[in-house]
């Protein structure tokens, strides 16, 4: 965002010779500081300009910094985004060589350790990990150093997991600016910031602004000092022309020399962020402490531009799923190493985590570029995912059988998953009823639904499946002449009741929302009748700018969607569905309520065709809960917040837990694309969309003629699930349920062929600890003979997790502290020790493990890229050695 209006560059003052400080200075300046002056140039890769312009500006800024360094022997420049260094390496090798030289000389400081300054709320947990993993590896390889300080001066709020993410990727300190003092109170500018797991980093909130005018810095320094305490402890001030880059000017540097002569100011030092934190750390534990998130700033950013947020969420999970299957296919099918392709795809995601992109505050054209860049990453993920599952599936033994069509279904999660998969079939199975038979010989009904095409004989089949952990099962599909295929809808349109063994759901035709959501196990009714008049799909007035500056909550309801039709769309043994169509103004909303057999949640598939301006759509979920605790998902963790109606950021789930009629009960709302929302007492609100003007920053007024483009116009789709429960979200399995929505099983039509793999197989599973969520199984970056397993503790409780890895013939036991993210390096060779690493895959300590011959009882093919094993850290007693998995290197 701009901090100073553009204008002509004032003439630089005549440079005066540096005069050594004399003893006997007035006592006034000895009562404050010193003030570490950090020369930098914040560069917005994308904002009011396209990324190509940011690309060029990075080169121009660094060239200017080199010139200032050569002119002023006391000047040091600080850079905080590693991706910009990669851009310079890509197109200006001469400048890159200068930067390497100046880094070695200590004149060009690299901080940040992340690819760009991302939005610090919206990326997923693994997205933040990859910022550090790829950035720190880049620095180590090109510069021989790694960043020791995190630095995000411009993003719009700080999530509570950041200290752990930094501490486990080699960074001990953190500098940020937003939220500013008028938005969030902190114990001081310098403090120890703790994550929930106990990790801490020394943290500093930059005063006033991260950049400065082009000329004299007297006003800039004065305003910074006005936000800082009167103390003799070290303080820090950033300066340099920024946003569109530029960096410190000659006038900036000359003015610091001049200001340092005045006893009106503390001692001004040309300094680095590292020097400041080293000086600040001398106070040690005497510094104040802070635990939790640092919010809010720009709450409208949680929802602005729905499209980019959905693309980021989908791409992150597509890459994680592709990595899992590529790692497994490496061992069981000889798939070549694809880490370089995955890193390229992840870098595209990291670039689009940039705060003005992910937050929705950039120009419209920026989102055309983002769509293409994330589309490339998703295409890479899809191609590698398909290559991996196809290569595994090809090795499954599927004997030929008359009138049988095999369907291989792959579960990306290391726990069993029960769900319904949808597949489109041609006429191979005929037009009658169909039955699916699992590996144990159990018959399962298959429901026929309307195909996505109106041409030909293709049909959409709904197949209920129960899948092994991170594995697959082959279902044999047969025509079923014993059963008559019924119509898609077997009930009259007036029937709006959906029920299974877990839930009874009643859709109210008058309101378009639920008249009842009853949890059968406890006979608790979640729907609050008292809230019915407030509406479910409510429209709010939203005259705020793109960021939502000056806003804490959105409450100005001006209307609600009104149902125009309620139709029963599916009724059968696999699932039931009711579709509600509603309208408001020129907009339409379709919500299809889907209840599958034997699942504990109701799924709602949403299609919005939105044509409102300066409005917001919220979907509200009222309950009758009392004594409510509101819990929100955040990157690799969760946080409790007051249910006070404030607009907050959440990831894939929000939960309200409390009591109903004196009994514990609750409701989790899961989603696959949204981040903004609120909780008022027992009522959850999900912000479905906003329609502010693009890149509109108050107080600049909008054109009176209305000739400007607004966001989120037209059709968009997303899915949410309602998960009622007794107890709280921990016992409901909310975290795993949300992960299942974000990464869904994949069904693959197969053919007959020989193969040594069985028709049902698990490759990885987590036992003994439902509160440990393993999110990553992938090839190691450096060690070509090792794999990485990463997970985190989800409930705030210590856990001992038994992680079974049959595809490697190993079982590992790992201790997780509350809220802890843990990474394990697992060598392919079963005799080598498993080692815990940091997020950069550097060894930390040995881990208890045991080998076990639990892999596929078949030749799993040649291994790929299995050169000499790298040093995996200190050895550990990993239990008795057993026979290796057949087909893996012995």
């Amino acid at each position: 965002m701009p901090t100073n209006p553009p204008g002509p560059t004032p003439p630089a003052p005549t440079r005066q010779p540096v005069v050594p400080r004399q003893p006997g200075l007035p006592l006034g300046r000895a009562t404050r500081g010193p003030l570490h002056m950090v020369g930098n140039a914040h560069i917005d890769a994308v904002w009011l300009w396209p990324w190509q312009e940011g690309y060029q500006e990075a080169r121009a800024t660094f060239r200017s910094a080199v010139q200032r360094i050569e002119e002023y022997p006391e000047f040091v420049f600080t850079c905080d985004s590693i991706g910009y260094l990669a851009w310079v390496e890509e197109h200006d090798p001469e400048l890159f060589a200068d930067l390497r030289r100046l880094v070695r000389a200590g004149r060009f400081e690299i901080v940040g350790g992340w690819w760009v300054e991302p939005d610090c709320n919206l990326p997923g947990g693994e997205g933040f990990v990859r910022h550090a993993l790829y950035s720190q590896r880049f620095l180590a390889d090109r510069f021989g150093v790694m960043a020791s300080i995190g630095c995000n001066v411009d993003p719009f709020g700080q999530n509570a997991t950041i200290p752990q993410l930094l501490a486990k990727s080699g960074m001990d300190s953190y500098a940020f600016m937003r939220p500013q003092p008028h938005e969030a109170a902190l114990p001081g500018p310098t403090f120890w910031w703790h994550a929930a797991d106990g990790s801490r980093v020394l943290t500093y909130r930059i005063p006033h602004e991260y950049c400065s005018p082009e000329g004299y810095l007297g006003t800039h320094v004065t305003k910074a000092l006005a936000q800082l305490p009167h103390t003799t402890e070290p303080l820090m001030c950033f300066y340099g022309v920024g946003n569109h880059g530029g960096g410190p000017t000659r006038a900036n540097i000359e003015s610091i020399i001049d200001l340092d002569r005045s006893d009106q100011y503390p001692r001004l030092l040309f300094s680095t962020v590292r020097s400041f934190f080293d000086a600040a750390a001398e106070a040690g534990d005497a510094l104040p402490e802070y635990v939790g998130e640092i919010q809010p700033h720009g709450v409208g950013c949680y929802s602005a531009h729905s499209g980019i947020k959905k693309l980021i969420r989908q791409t992150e999970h597509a890459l994680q799923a592709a990595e899992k299957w590529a790692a497994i296919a490496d061992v069981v099918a000889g798939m070549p190493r694809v880490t370089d392709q995955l890193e390229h795809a992840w870098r595209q995601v990291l670039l689009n985590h940039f705060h003005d992109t992910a937050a929705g505050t950039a120009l419209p054209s920026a989102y055309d570029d983002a769509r293409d860049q994330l589309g490339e990453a998703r295409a890479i993920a899809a191609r590698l995912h398909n290559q991996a599952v196809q290569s595994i599936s090809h090795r499954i033994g599927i004997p030929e059988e008359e009138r049988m069509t095999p369907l291989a279904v792959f579960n990306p999660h290391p726990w069993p998953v029960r769900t319904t998969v949808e597949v489109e079939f041609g006429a191979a199975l005929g037009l009658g009823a169909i039955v699916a038979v699992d590996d144990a010989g159990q018959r399962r009904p298959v429901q026929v639904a309307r195909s996505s095409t109106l041409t030909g004989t293709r049909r959409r089949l709904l197949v209920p499946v129960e899948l092994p952990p991170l594995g697959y099962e082959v279902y044999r599909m047969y025509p079923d002449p014993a059963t008559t295929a019924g119509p898609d809808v077997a009930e009259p349109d007036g029937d709006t009741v959906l029920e299974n063994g877990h839930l009874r759901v009643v859709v109210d035709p008058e309101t378009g929302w639920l008249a009842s959501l009853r949890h059968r196990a406890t006979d608790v009714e979640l729907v609050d009748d008292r809230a019915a008049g407030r509406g479910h799909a409510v429209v709010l007035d939203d005259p705020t700018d793109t960021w939502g500056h000056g806003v804490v909550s959105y409450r100005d309801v001006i209307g609600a969607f009104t149902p125009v039709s309620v139709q029963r769309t599916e009724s059968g043994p696999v699932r039931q569905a009711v579709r509600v169509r509603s309208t408001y103004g020129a907009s339409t909303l379709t919500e299809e309520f889907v209840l599958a057999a034997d699942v504990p949640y109701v799924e709602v598939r949403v299609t919005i065709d939105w044509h409102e301006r300066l409005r917001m759509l919220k979907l509200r979920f009222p309950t009758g809960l009392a004594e409510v605790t509101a819990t929100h998902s955040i990157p690799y963790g969760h946080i409790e917040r007051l249910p006070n109606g404030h607009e907050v950021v959440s990831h894939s789930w929000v939960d309200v837990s409390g009591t109903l009629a004196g009994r514990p009960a609750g409701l989790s709302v899961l989603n696959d694309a949204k981040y903004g929302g609120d909780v008022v007492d027992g009522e959850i609100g999900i912000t479905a969309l906003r329609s502010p003007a693009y890149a509109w920053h108050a107080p600049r007024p909008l054109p009176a003629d209305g000739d400007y483009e607004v966001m989120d116009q037209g059709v968009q789709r997303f899915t949410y699930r309602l998960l009622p429960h007794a107890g709280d979200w921990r016992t409901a399995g909310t975290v795993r349920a949300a992960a299942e929505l974000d990464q869904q099983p994949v069904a693959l039509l197969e053919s007959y062929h020989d193969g040594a793999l069985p028709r049902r197989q698990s490759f990885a599973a987590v036992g003994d600890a439902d509160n440990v969520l393993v999110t990553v199984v992938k090839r190691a970056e450096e060690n070509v003979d090792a794999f990485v397993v990463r997970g985190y503790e989800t409930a705030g409780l210590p856990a001992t997790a038994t992680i079974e890895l049959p595809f490697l013939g190993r079982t590992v036991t790992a201790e997780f502290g509350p809220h802890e993210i843990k990474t394990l390096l697992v060598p392919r060779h079963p005799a080598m020790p498993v080692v815990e690493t940091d997020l950069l895959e550097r060894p930390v300590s040995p881990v208890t493990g045991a080998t076990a011959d639990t892999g596929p009882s078949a030749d799993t093919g040649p291994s790929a890229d299995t050169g000499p094993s790298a040093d995996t850290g200190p050895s550990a007693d990993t239990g008795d050695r057993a026979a290796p998995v057949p087909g893996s290197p012995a």
Side-chain angles (χ1 to χ4, degrees), residues 502-780:
H502 299 275
L503 303 175
R504 186 176 189 272
V505 181
V506 181
V507 179
D508 184 353
E510 296 298 320
T511 65
W513 181 233
L514 302 184
S516 176
L517 177 60
R518 187 170 293 276
H519 186 243
R520 286 190 180 278
T522 57
D523 197 33
V524 166
E525 173 60 66
L526 270 296
V527 171
D528 182 8
D529 292 337
R530 298 168 298 175
R534 298 205 297 268
H536 160 61
V538 296
V539 179
L540 296 88
D541 189 32
D542 180 12
T544 62
D545 69 12
T546 316
W547 288 258
H549 282 122
V551 173
V552 174
S553 59
Y554 294 96
R555 303 186 185 185
D556 191 4
V557 176
I558 58 174
F561 275 79
T562 302
V564 295
S565 70
V566 178
Q567 179 186 9
R568 184 84 173 201
T569 56
E570 293 178 353
S571 184
V574 177
R575 75 182 188 199
Q576 311 155 53
V578 171
R579 180 182 298 145
V580 178
R581 285 194 174 94
S582 305
T583 61
Y584 173 86
S587 303
T588 60
L589 168 68
T590 300
E591 291 185 284
E592 188 159 33
F593 297 83
V594 179
L595 184 64
D598 208 21
V599 297
Y601 55 81
V602 57
E603 178 171 296
V604 186
R605 301 175 180 184
V606 181
T607 302
I608 305 169
D609 188 3
W610 181 254
H611 298 279
E612 314 304 318
R613 296 164 65 85
L614 305 183
R615 300 286 186 265
M616 170 185 283
L617 173 61
K618 275 187 177 285
L619 302 181
R620 306 213 65 89
F621 309 99
T623 72
L625 291 164
E627 302 174 305
V628 169
T629 298
T631 309
H632 304 252
S633 59
I634 62 173
Y636 274 159
H638 68 272
I639 192 167
E640 292 183 5
R641 299 183 177 120
L642 293 174
N644 57 9
H646 288 186
E647 189 77 0
V648 295
V649 59
S650 305
H651 277 236
S652 54
W653 60 271
V654 181
D655 180 82
V656 286
S657 293
T659 60
L660 274 172
R663 291 177 292 176
L667 174 69
S668 297
V669 179
L670 327 173
N671 81 87
D672 67 353
K674 302 300 174 183
Y675 294 86
D678 61 61
V679 177
V680 182
D681 299 326
E683 179 173 305
I684 295 172
I686 299 297
T687 305
L689 53 81
R690 296 180 64 220
S691 53
Y694 276 90
W696 168 39
H697 195 307
R700 182 171 181 173
L702 292 171
D705 60 6
D707 188 14
Y708 51 87
E709 187 174 354
V710 301
M711 294 182 177
D712 281 355
Q713 300 297 287
V715 175
Q716 58 176 283
R717 296 179 174 86
F718 68 97
T719 299
Y720 64 86
R721 290 175 178 172
L722 305 176
L723 176 62
H725 56 80
D728 71 2
W729 56 270
R730 296 172 178 85
T731 57
T734 293
V735 178
R736 286 187 173 184
E740 291 171 18
L741 177 58
D742 278 327
Q743 287 184 44
Q744 300 192 27
V746 171
L748 177 66
L749 285 173
E750 256 299 350
S751 57
Y752 313 136
H753 44 68
D754 293 334
L757 293 178
R759 288 196 299 246
R760 179 181 171 93
Q761 178 69 50
S762 172
F763 297 111
V766 178
D768 307 329
D770 290 344
N771 58 325
V772 170
L773 193 78
V774 168
T775 57
V776 172
V777 177
K778 73 178 192 71
R779 287 293 304 264

Side-chain angles (χ1 to χ4, degrees), residues 8-14 214-216 249-252 254:
T9 304
T14 303
E214 297 176 347
Y216 200 75
T249 64
R250 293 183 182 92
N252 288 166
E254 297 281 358

Side-chain angles (χ1 to χ4, degrees), residues 830-859:
M832 295 194 66
V834 175
V835 178
E836 181 181 353
T837 74
D838 62 11
L839 297 178
L840 308 182
E841 301 179 15
R842 301 179 301 179
V844 174
S845 62
V847 174
T848 302
T851 59
D853 188 3
T854 55
S857 58
D859 181 359

Side-chain angles (χ1 to χ4, degrees), residues 314-328 342 346 381 384-385 388-389 412-413 470 742-744 746 775-777:
Q314 289 182 337
T315 309
E316 289 175 340
H317 285 284
L319 285 168
Q320 288 173 250
E323 286 178 329
K324 294 174 192 175
W325 293 117
I328 293 165
L342 287 164
W346 271 110
L384 296 179
H385 186 286
V389 297
H413 302 291
L470 192 48
D742 278 327
Q743 287 184 44
Q744 300 192 27
V746 171
T775 57
V776 172
V777 177

Side-chain angles (χ1 to χ4, degrees), residues 447-459:
Q447 189 171 324
V448 179
R450 181 172 297 173
S451 171
S452 58
T453 177
L454 301 178
T455 303
T457 58
R458 288 180 68 82
R459 295 189 297 170

